[in-house]
Amino acid sequence: MADKPQGCARVTGAVLGDPSPEEPVAKTNDETVKEETMTARVGQKAPDFNAPAYYKGSFTNVQLSDHFGKWLLLCFYPGDFTFV
Amino acid sequence: MSAVADKYSELQDLGVEVFSVSVDSHFVHKMWNDHELVKMVDGGIPFHMLSDQAGNIGRAYGVYDEEQGIELRGRFIIDPDGVVQAMEVLTPPVGRRIAESIRQVQAYQVVRASGGAEATPAGWMPGDPVLKPGPDLVGNVWKEWKPNE
């Protein structure tokens, strides 16, 4: 959580856990094997992730599972400086 | 997000931690907070504003719009076990009603405190009677609860 040098790399959120399922089994024909992704569903464990964040004047990193044990409200929105 | 920030102390009183997520960088979050949101909410945004520039988190939650490269207005209530209990997803032009999220958290907290023995009927508000599902309630909900009361 300590301040880390920010650098110029384009950092982004990353989903954690249950990672890359086994290498896709031999693709048949030219059908693309769809990559298995975690999708949030009610009644199921929330997909864990790690993301850079701005918090009260500082830059920090948030891992969702670090906050399990509390009730969490996760709110996505289209973008900063939008109107609604 | 200022609407959520405005209700933050109420959410904290309920033991709820808030995280906002968009595809903007955390640097832009800082500029938005410092230059606009601080004028709407005293002290600025009191919770973590997460950056998901590649849309990875949004995809995992089913709210990333690949065509527009943005995240839809998805709202998820996660219980202390890390289980998603409720979700709501709106397209961009309509904003959320935070009071409804708070009501849902309160309802889930009542259910959890009862160990699952209680359920909250439609329109339940804190203080309203709850239902105790079981053999005696089958066919008798009408004695306990009416939709117009």
Side-chain angles (χ1 to χ4, degrees), chain B residues 2-118:
Chain B
S2 56
V4 183
D6 187 54
K7 297 270 188 244
Y8 186 65
S9 64
E10 209 173 315
L11 287 160
Q12 288 251 289
D13 289 345
L14 292 170
V16 180
E17 198 45 72
V18 179
F19 301 99
S20 65
V21 191
S22 80
V23 296
D24 303 281
S25 73
H26 47 321
F27 305 125
V28 177
H29 288 333
K30 173 174 164 48
M31 295 308 278
W32 191 32
N33 177 72
D34 294 359
H35 293 273
E36 184 170 45
L37 297 177
V38 77
K39 293 167 184 151
M40 301 177 181
V41 186
D42 277 350
I45 295 295
F47 46 79
H48 290 85
M49 302 175 78
L50 277 50
S51 168
D52 184 29
Q53 293 190 78
N56 293 329
I57 302 171
R59 278 188 203 93
Y61 281 80
V63 298
Y64 186 71
D65 184 320
E66 300 281 350
E67 279 177 22
Q68 298 183 75
I70 55 138
E71 282 163 355
L72 304 169
R73 295 185 194 280
R75 181 230 59 186
F76 299 80
I77 295 172
I78 301 169
D79 76 11
D81 294 324
V83 172
V84 178
Q85 291 294 349
M87 62 170 78
E88 172 191 77
V89 185
L90 306 177
T91 52
V94 172
R96 292 176 262 261
R97 178 170 157 80
I98 308 309
E100 173 59 7
S101 298
I102 291 173
R103 186 196 75 85
Q104 289 179 17
V105 168
Q106 289 169 317
Y108 279 112
Q109 289 182 339
V110 164
V111 171
R112 187 177 172 89
S114 76
E118 296 177 349

